[in-house]
């Protein structure tokens, strides 16, 4: 299975979640504008600093959020969090709408089950992702079995 081109699937993003993530930033900016209008520049600068901090923390833990099918593993990246799952450890991938926490920005999710745990993902092209992932899993298992014979 070597030399298979990596395939990147960005995370789908639900609008409600985007609003939930961006609302505190815009509210802090709105409060800052109000404070400036009222002549309270010190408090306005504090609110701007708060907005920048919220934006930075949100970005660090959410950007980028993507799933990459590599030669021998699924790479999961959501902000600073990055890890890989060997295809030989994956037992199944199924569609889901679970509310369980995971590196997923949409409720249109995929549960990737491994020999150790479940991983919750939300690729934009869910059905295509599952199909390609399970194809790579099958080829990886076949390759491993042929090498042990």
């Amino acid at each position: 299975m070597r030399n298979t081109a990596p395939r990147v699937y960005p995370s789908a993003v639900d609008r409600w979640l985007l609003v939930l993530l961006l609302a505190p930033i815009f509210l802090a900016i709105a409060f800052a504008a109000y404070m400036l209008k009222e002549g309270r520049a010190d408090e306005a600068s504090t609110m701007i600093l708060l907005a920048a901090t919220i934006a930075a923390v949100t970005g660090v833990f959410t950007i980028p959020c993507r799933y990459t099918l590599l030669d021998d593993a699924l790479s999961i990246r959501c902000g600073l969090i990055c890890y890989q799952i060997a295809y030989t450890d994956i037992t199944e991938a199924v569609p889901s709408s679970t509310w369980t926490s995971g590196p997923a920005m949409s409720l249109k999710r995929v549960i990737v089950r491994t020999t150790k745990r479940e991983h919750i993902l939300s690729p934009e092209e869910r059905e295509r992702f599952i199909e390609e992932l399970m194809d790579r899993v099958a080829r990886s298992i076949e390759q491993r079995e042929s090498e042990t014979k």
Side-chain angles (χ1 to χ4, degrees):
M1 192 168 95
R2 296 286 174 222
N3 299 326
T4 304
R7 172 87 161 105
V8 177
Y9 287 87
S11 176
V13 181
D14 287 347
R15 287 186 187 141
W16 67 269
L17 181 59
L18 192 60
V19 168
L20 192 66
L21 291 172
L22 295 177
I25 299 164
F26 288 114
L27 281 172
I29 292 170
F31 279 122
Y34 174 76
M35 302 274 184
L36 277 175
K37 184 179 177 216
E38 294 294 313
R40 297 161 54 188
D42 288 348
E43 286 121 341
S45 61
T46 301
M47 292 307 289
I48 293 294
L49 185 59
L50 177 64
T53 302
I54 294 169
V57 170
T58 300
V60 161
F61 289 105
T62 60
I63 300 171
C65 191
R66 65 178 178 236
Y67 320 105
T68 306
L69 301 175
L70 303 170
D71 275 344
D72 56 354
L74 166 62
S75 175
I76 298 169
R77 170 103 192 250
C78 197
L80 292 177
I81 300 166
C82 186
Y83 57 96
Q84 293 184 358
I85 306 167
Y87 292 138
T88 54
D89 290 340
I90 296 173
T91 58
E92 76 175 329
V94 293
S96 175
S97 295
T98 183
W99 281 78
T100 304
S101 179
M105 308 266 299
S106 170
L107 285 179
K108 190 175 179 184
R109 296 175 165 193
V110 174
I111 297 176
V112 176
R113 291 191 174 97
T114 68
T115 53
K116 298 176 184 171
R117 62 172 280 209
E118 292 182 346
H119 301 269
I120 310 299
L121 314 177
S122 62
E124 281 183 347
E125 300 175 66
R126 181 168 69 169
E127 289 75 21
R128 186 173 180 187
F129 174 82
I130 292 171
E131 184 180 314
E132 189 170 349
L133 172 64
M134 294 313 294
D135 181 56
R136 289 182 186 226
V137 167
R139 285 188 282 160
S140 183
I141 291 170
E142 286 172 7
Q143 180 181 356
R144 184 181 66 183
E145 289 173 353
S146 69
E147 289 173 357
T148 58
K149 289 183 182 179

